[in-house]
Amino acid sequence: MELTPDIHLVDGVTCNVYLILEPDGVTILDSGLPGAHTRILALLQSLGHASGDVRRIVLTHQHIDHVGGAPALVKATGAEIYAPVGDTPAIEGKAKRERPRGPLGLAFAVMIALQLRPTTVNHQVAGGETLPVFASEGGLQVVATPGHTVGHVSYYLPARRLLFAGDAYRHADGKVTPSPKMFNHDTPQAMRSLASLCALDVEMSLPGHGAPILHDANRLIAEAVASVASVAR
Ligand SMILES: [Zn+2]
């Protein structure tokens, strides 16, 4: 699905995967479950790009539905991986992968053991860095939004008032809500990260799950933070 002429959403790969098409190459933001590379590369091809055009895979966090497609994408494209420093040990298979609590966690553990392969992170980010993506517009900035996972980050392009939010929130039925507790590493920290996004000027926000927010994202995020605060009182 075309969101802007240079940003496309890959449908049907569990988490939202975004293709960023620039004259100097393609960036893939998050990578879906293991096996998602087939759909991602098929869409890329239909847009007139070869797999060799992919220069970067930019990850928001370590969860299997966001990093699962990355090893096969690296193999097919030779792209370099950018990922949060806090989540890098898990992505590289050197630390236990975070997964949901409860019975769903057990299903995830099986899926992780059977399907998820570790992959090398070429560039670790923690927040405050500027990536060579949308470089002609000032570059994509890394924003630390920990809590959903230990190292979760979001990516922000001030020139377009555009935020790639990962799982810093969910978007459904026109409302932004915090990520469900069962999926979070530290829910109070995730809430503080969500509140911190209110400081950014955001019109379009592209989450890891749910429909892209094309307009007025600031208001929706602020409403989510206010509603959680009123419940907590
Ligand atoms: Zn997640």
Side-chain angles (χ1 to χ4, degrees), residues 61 63 66 148 167:
H61 65 294
H63 282 159
H66 293 254
H148 179 66
D167 286 358

Side-chain angles (χ1 to χ4, degrees), residues 61 63 65-66 148-149 152 167 170 179 183 209:
H61 65 294
H63 282 159
D65 52 333
H66 293 254
H148 179 66
T149 62
H152 188 284
D167 286 358
R170 290 195 169 213
S179 177
F183 294 110
H209 299 277

Side-chain angles (χ1 to χ4, degrees), residues 31-120:
S31 66
L33 283 171
H37 63 287
T38 315
R39 261 187 121 100
I40 294 168
L41 294 175
L43 177 62
L44 191 66
Q45 201 169 25
S46 76
L47 294 169
H49 289 269
S51 54
D53 294 345
V54 180
R55 293 186 63 185
R56 303 169 203 99
I57 299 163
V58 174
L59 302 173
T60 59
H61 65 294
Q62 61 170 285
H63 282 159
I64 185 172
D65 52 333
H66 293 254
V67 308
L73 282 173
V74 169
K75 210 169 162 196
T77 66
E80 298 200 325
I81 293 199
Y82 292 73
V85 60
D87 285 10
T88 290
I91 292 169
E92 294 189 332
K94 296 169 184 164
K96 212 171 154 213
R97 186 84 52 163
E98 291 183 22
R99 53 184 169 84
R101 280 182 281 279
L104 193 58
L106 216 57
F108 269 69
V110 172
M111 191 161 49
I112 288 167
L114 293 179
Q115 297 183 19
L116 189 56
R117 298 287 164 265
T119 191
T120 301

